[in-house]
Structures are given as C-alpha cells and as structure tokens.
Amino acid sequence: MKTKTTIISLLTASILAAGLFLLVIKQIPETKEVINTDSTVIAICPAKVLVEEKPLICTPPPVPHPAQAEAQTQKKTKAQVEVLSIVEDAAPIIAEEEIVCCEALVTTSSSDYYDQEINRNEYNQLAENKFRKVKNEPLSTFSIDVDAASYGTIRRYINEGQNPPADAVRVEELINYFSYSYEQPVGKDPVKITTEIGPCPWNKENRLVRIGLKAKEIPSENLPASNLVFLVDVSGSMYGPDRLGLVKSSLKLLINNLREEDCVAIVVYAGEAGVVLPSTSGSNKQKIREALDELTAGGSTAGGAGIQLAYDIARKNYIREGNNRVILCTDGDFNVGVSSSEGLERLVEKERKSGVFLTVLGYGMGNYKDNKMQVLAEKGNGNHAYIDNIQEANKTLVHEFGGTMYAVAKDVKLQIVFNPEQVQEYRLVGYESRLLNNKDFNDDTKDAGEMGAGHTVTAFYEIKPNNAPHTMQFAEPELLTIRLRYKAPYSDVSQLIENKLKANSSNKLSPDFYFASAVAMFGQMLRNSEYKGTGSYNQVISLAQSGLVNDRQGYKREFIRLVETINGLTAATNVYAH
C-alpha cells in the first residue's frame, strides 16, 4: 500500500511539473524587432503578455527546504528530476527577459510617454534646518547658493495647477531668484556684505536677520573673452518643444550677444558623445545657429561621456584669465556610462580643477532629474537654472548674462558667529544642501559656491533673543559677526571679509526686506514647514506688495500672481475636501 501511494504521488508530481512546464513555454512571447532611435534593435513583448500573464511569468516556483528536497530526490526518477530542473531554471530566465522588455519600453519612449505615464521627476530629500542653541553651537557655516532652478520648477507646477512636491522647494533658491538693491562693493574685494534686522513676519516673538551679498558689476562689453562649450543632451527623453526645441531657442538668445573674441563649440550626447561644431568665433553666428538647428533627439543618455568630452574641448581652447565654461542643457536623465550621482560628482570634482566652470540648464518635466543637476552644479564650480519658457531663458542668458556666465568670486563661504549674551537660538532659513562643517570655513580645499558679476545673494536667520522676547529689545548693540571667505576666479588662496551687525529695532526696514521675507514665507508654506508659524498666502501677498520696487522686468509682480494662483488652488482643494 505504501509503495502504491508513493507511485501515485510521483506520477502526480510528474504530471503537475510537466503541465507547469508547458504553461511556461506557452507564455514565451513572440517578439518583434523594433529599431531604436540609436539604431540598435530591441525586442518588445506583446502588450497582452505584459499585462495579463505577468504574475505567472515573473513569479518563479518556490524552492523547497534543503532537507525536504533531499528526501524528495530519493523518491524521484532521473526523468522527473530533469523536468523539474527545467521548470525551475526556465521561469526566472523568462521573468528576467520580460523585465528587460519592460525596461526597453521605458527607455525608448518619446516625450509623450513621460507626459502620460507616472511622474518620474526626482529631487533630493531635504531635512529642514532646526533651531540651534547659541550656548552649544555659536557658529553657523554654509556655502552661498546663487542657483534659481527651484523657482522655475515650482512656477511650472503652479502654472499647471499642481502643488509642487516639498523637496522641489529650496527656499534659498526662491529668495535668490530675485535681485535686490544692495550696495556695490568698493576697493579690492569683489563682494560687499549688507545686513538688516526686523520682526519675523511668521512669528512675532522672534526676529529676522537678513544678510545680503552683492558682487561687483562688469558691463557686458568689458567682460573677458569667453570660451564656451554648449553640451546638449539629444537623447530620446529630450524630444519635444519644451525640451530640445526650447534648448535651441535659448542658446540662440545667447548667440545673439556673442562678440568676435568669444568662441563656441557644440558637443552632443545620446547613446554616445560627439562634437557637432568645433570651437567657432562669435562673429560667425549663422554657422553656430545652423549647427543647433540640425540637432534631433533620440537614443539613450551617455551623459558622463558628454561631460568628459565637453571639458576636453574647453581645455583645448582654454583662454587664460578668460571665461571658460561648459553650458549643459539636459533633463538630467543619465542612463549610460557614468550616470549615478556619486559617479557624476567624482567626474566634475576632477574637472573643476582645470579652471573650467559649469552652468547647468534644466529642461522638461515628467522625467526631470533635479537631484543629478544639483550634484553637477554644486560640485563643478557651477550654477543651475531651470528653463521652463523662453522668458526664463531670456532672463538667465541675456539680462543676467554676466552673473550666469562670468564668476568674479569662487568658493564663497559664510560663517556667522552669534553673541550668546544677545541670542538664545537661531535657525538658518533654507540652504539645507549647502551646510558646511565649521572647520571647513578656513579650509581652502573645501568647495563652495561661486558669485557671478552683479549677482546678489540673500540669507535669512530667524533668531530668538536671549532676553525680553516680548519687547524684542537687546541689552547690547552687537548681535553677531559675519565672516566671509572667497577666492578670486583663478586663485587657490581665500580672502577674508568681516562685518558686525548691531541690533537696532528702530531701523526703518527696506522694501527689499519685505519682499525677500515674503518669498521666504512662501517657500515655507509650500514645504508645509513646521516653522511656518502664522504665515499665510494672504500675508505673503501683502508683504510682497510692500516690496514692489525696482521691478522693471516684472518678476516680482509675476511672483505675486503665482502666490494668488496657489492660494486659489489651496482654497478650492479645501472646499472639495469638505
């Protein structure tokens, strides 16, 4: 009886295994050859297999416990073992092949795919700065940040009727999108420090300290000769009018302002990198435009190879004491060769030592890799802007050409020394990705941000006074000391500037203070910050309207319209929720 039961069990197992094998073989899809945009052949599985049969194919059979497997093996014939072995080996292979097919569908899709499918934008997570006790941490050290990419990003979200994700909101970049009326530097230093203190608009118990930096201005006609390399991403993800189409229009605005002594080369990358235009004089504008017009999008993204080639071209045509710069135009979707954030960081850290600077211009939405763009800008002596329309391109590449393209100071660091007798706690608003160790301030090997000609940089500290918080009066006039270090563009030795801030609550606040604090409040509202206090969008609008001066280009009025839009969206969402 036992032998009969065993035979029946073995026969049953054989039948089940053979049936499962036939099912697996049946699911192997008939593939079609499709020519990719970079001339490679890929296999795409039929849609019905991907959707209907995926659970069966992608799930291999369970593997028995070793002890059970050994016992079962003793009861199986050689043929049965072979059948089961085939089933176990075939299922994972087929599952793996189907995953490859699915990836092929993703990597070869056009712009329409990224617009219609799930949101693939990527942003670095930010841990918001908290209050620090002065008695424990009297020093606060960070690198300046002149990037404005976050403002362009959140503007696009809002204009499309969406709330921007919190990690897309970098408060300091919102503030520094705007220029402020700070005093010009005089003497040998290319940067001047300005300070101001007033009530904190979102927490009346606290004070708000504004630290402003102004870089010296240089008329465009007096700027040194430029050696520029346009590095253009022409991979498949850059297909579309708001991607490669906008890149061409943007760079043509820049070309219009080139002088005879300036030169431009064009490097592109998709599956591989190549030179489209060798270094060409700015007097030959038509030739440069024609080279841009010939660019088309398609293929994978070998961004690392493109960056390396662009730096090679820039070094080959290096202008001593000139403006040597790579201008990268991309959505940041690197997927061939050096593509990780760590790999890109090592690449640009090595190349920045050559004296070639980097400007990163971001394009597109839906597959935008902001996190990789930030790495490139921060580690490559660079700056980062997001170009969502031709007006933003005009602002970045024409109106602010000197600030965007020509550095007057590099590795600019700030260290604030708080007086413990006057300040109990402080919090730096924004700059989470720019924080430095205190010892890094005097270390000239540590990288920091650059300032271009005419650039302004603003930083806010929210502070809690050490005495009489309700009257917000300070016993002594000296509140804090500001230390700034910078290097000349072609120097490796830093220079030190110091400035002291005396607390005076009776000072009349400038319009710039009101407007910049409104932008700071707005950023904290968008992030739903735990420190937003009593802040509201209506209060942001009121504060910003108090600071509407020097707005010839209309950027500040546009900001108010954005706040009104997000305020309306929020109100509509709240009504719908109830």
Side-chain angles (χ1 to χ4, degrees):
M1 186 70 178
K2 182 176 180 181
T3 303
K4 183 178 181 180
T5 302
T6 302
I7 293 173
I8 293 173
S9 299
L10 291 174
L11 288 173
T12 302
S14 300
I15 293 170
L16 289 174
L20 179 57
F21 176 74
L22 291 174
L23 282 173
V24 171
I25 295 300
K26 185 178 179 181
Q27 302 307 319
I28 298 179
E30 178 184 356
T31 61
K32 299 179 181 179
E33 282 193 350
V34 177
I35 305 301
N36 197 358
T37 48
D38 58 359
S39 300
T40 59
V41 178
I42 59 171
I44 299 184
C45 306
K48 67 173 185 175
V49 176
L50 292 177
V51 177
E52 297 175 4
E53 307 297 345
K54 183 175 180 179
L56 177 61
I57 296 177
C58 291
T59 306
V63 179
H65 188 277
Q68 295 175 330
E70 183 178 357
Q72 292 173 359
T73 301
Q74 296 174 357
K75 301 177 182 180
K76 295 176 183 177
T77 65
K78 181 178 180 180
Q80 292 168 335
V81 172
E82 291 175 350
V83 170
L84 289 175
S85 177
I86 291 173
V87 173
E88 291 175 353
D89 291 341
I93 293 173
I94 296 170
E96 182 179 354
E97 288 180 356
E98 181 177 17
I99 292 171
V100 171
C101 292
C102 296
E103 290 177 347
L105 286 171
V106 172
T107 58
T108 60
S109 296
S110 68
S111 172
D112 292 338
Y113 174 85
Y114 294 109
D115 292 338
Q116 295 170 3
E117 296 297 323
I118 61 173
N119 191 321
R120 297 175 182 273
N121 301 322
E122 293 178 4
Y123 303 93
N124 286 325
Q125 291 186 346
L126 295 176
E128 190 172 29
N129 291 329
K130 300 183 181 299
F131 276 100
R132 305 289 182 181
K133 293 186 179 298
V134 176
K135 66 178 182 180
N136 299 328
E137 301 178 58
L139 303 181
S140 175
T141 309
F142 64 100
S143 162
I144 62 104
D145 184 2
V146 297
D147 295 346
S150 182
Y151 186 85
T153 301
I154 67 105
R155 176 176 57 201
R156 178 158 184 168
Y157 275 108
I158 294 171
N159 284 336
E160 292 180 353
Q162 304 177 54
N163 283 308
D167 288 328
V169 182
R170 294 184 287 272
V171 180
E172 76 278 5
E173 293 189 17
L174 271 57
I175 298 170
N176 289 326
Y177 180 82
F178 304 94
S179 294
Y180 303 99
S181 301
Y182 298 144
E183 293 182 12
Q184 291 271 0
V186 293
K188 65 180 182 64
D189 292 320
V191 182
K192 182 176 176 61
I193 303 172
T194 300
T195 55
E196 198 170 10
I197 182 171
C200 178
W202 55 84
N203 188 335
K204 299 301 181 183
E205 296 294 311
N206 296 338
R207 304 279 278 170
L208 197 61
V209 175
R210 183 177 69 136
I211 300 171
L213 307 180
K214 173 72 173 181
K216 70 176 180 180
E217 296 182 354
I218 303 176
S220 297
E221 60 272 17
N222 295 337
L223 289 172
S226 292
N227 163 35
L228 305 177
V229 180
F230 296 168
L231 175 57
V232 183
D233 180 352
V234 294
S235 64
S237 66
M238 286 292 286
Y239 177 82
D242 65 335
R243 293 171 170 83
L244 185 56
L246 186 55
V247 169
K248 295 179 182 180
S249 301
S250 303
L251 294 179
K252 285 178 182 178
L253 293 175
L254 175 55
I255 292 169
N256 291 338
N257 291 312
L258 293 177
R259 304 162 299 179
E260 183 178 358
E261 60 266 33
D262 302 324
C263 58
V264 170
I266 300 178
V267 174
V268 298
Y269 63 90
E272 56 185 20
V275 179
V276 170
L277 180 74
S279 189
T280 302
S281 170
S283 62
N284 201 343
K285 294 179 174 58
Q286 187 58 30
K287 183 178 180 180
I288 303 172
R289 294 191 192 101
E290 289 174 354
L292 282 175
D293 286 335
E294 292 176 0
L295 302 183
T296 58
S300 53
T301 316
I307 293 171
Q308 184 67 67
L309 180 57
Y311 273 104
D312 290 344
I313 298 296
R315 285 197 303 270
K316 180 180 178 181
N317 300 284
Y318 191 85
I319 300 176
R320 184 174 176 82
E321 296 188 359
N323 177 28
N324 300 278
R325 185 173 294 267
V326 172
I327 303 173
L328 170 61
C329 303
T330 180
D331 61 2
D333 184 20
F334 305 142
N335 51 42
V336 175
V338 178
S339 57
S340 68
S341 295
E342 294 77 11
L344 293 169
E345 179 176 336
R346 288 192 294 270
L347 175 60
V348 295
E349 280 184 335
K350 180 187 72 173
E351 293 296 341
R352 74 168 183 240
K353 299 175 183 177
S354 66
V356 177
F357 290 82
L358 177 68
T359 291
V360 181
L361 303 180
Y363 292 83
M365 187 60 71
N367 192 49
Y368 186 65
K369 310 304 182 187
D370 178 89
N371 51 351
K372 293 181 180 179
M373 315 277 257
Q374 282 292 105
V375 167
L376 292 171
E378 291 180 11
K379 303 301 181 181
N381 272 353
N383 48 50
H384 176 203
Y386 178 73
I387 310 298
D388 56 332
N389 54 50
I390 195 64
Q391 291 78 20
E392 183 63 22
N394 194 56
K395 175 182 185 291
T396 303
L397 300 176
V398 178
H399 292 307
E400 299 176 0
F401 174 83
T404 304
M405 296 296 164
Y406 183 71
V408 298
K410 69 177 183 180
D411 293 341
V412 182
K413 311 170 189 174
L414 282 170
Q415 185 170 79
I416 315 304
V417 186
F418 290 93
N419 182 351
E421 294 182 1
Q422 310 304 324
V423 182
Q424 180 182 355
E425 296 181 22
Y426 64 87
R427 180 177 74 90
L428 176 61
V429 180
Y431 291 91
E432 283 84 0
S433 67
R434 302 286 183 154
L435 300 179
L436 297 173
N437 295 320
N438 292 330
K439 64 181 181 180
D440 293 341
F441 181 73
N442 293 318
D443 185 349
D444 282 352
T445 66
K446 295 296 182 179
D447 182 55
E450 66 168 27
M451 289 192 72
H455 256 152
T456 61
V457 173
T458 300
F460 278 112
Y461 277 95
E462 181 180 355
I463 63 172
K464 295 181 179 181
N466 201 24
N467 67 318
H470 295 289
T471 59
M472 295 182 292
Q473 299 295 321
F474 296 89
E476 299 293 334
E478 186 174 307
L479 184 66
L480 53 84
T481 300
I482 303 163
R483 297 172 180 167
L484 181 147
R485 282 198 177 276
Y486 74 90
K487 297 175 188 171
Y490 303 100
S491 173
D492 293 325
V493 180
S494 68
Q495 304 298 320
L496 177 65
I497 304 175
E498 284 196 9
N499 199 352
K500 297 182 184 298
L501 173 63
K502 296 182 178 181
N504 189 340
S505 59
S506 63
N507 278 350
K508 182 180 179 180
L509 296 176
S510 68
D512 279 347
F513 183 96
Y514 289 117
F515 187 85
S517 62
V519 180
M521 185 189 295
F522 178 60
Q524 293 176 106
M525 294 289 296
L526 289 178
R527 288 186 57 82
N528 193 25
S529 165
E530 65 175 291
Y531 303 107
K532 65 183 180 181
T534 59
S536 68
Y537 289 127
N538 287 329
Q539 190 178 0
V540 171
I541 294 170
S542 178
L543 271 175
Q545 288 173 337
S546 301
L548 272 182
V549 295
N550 301 324
D551 190 35
R552 186 175 61 178
Q553 304 297 334
Y555 301 134
K556 294 179 179 178
R557 287 178 175 82
E558 180 200 46
F559 169 77
I560 293 175
R561 288 194 295 271
L562 281 180
V563 182
E564 291 171 341
T565 300
I566 195 69
N567 195 24
L569 289 172
T570 304
T573 302
N574 292 338
V575 169
Y576 179 79
H578 290 85

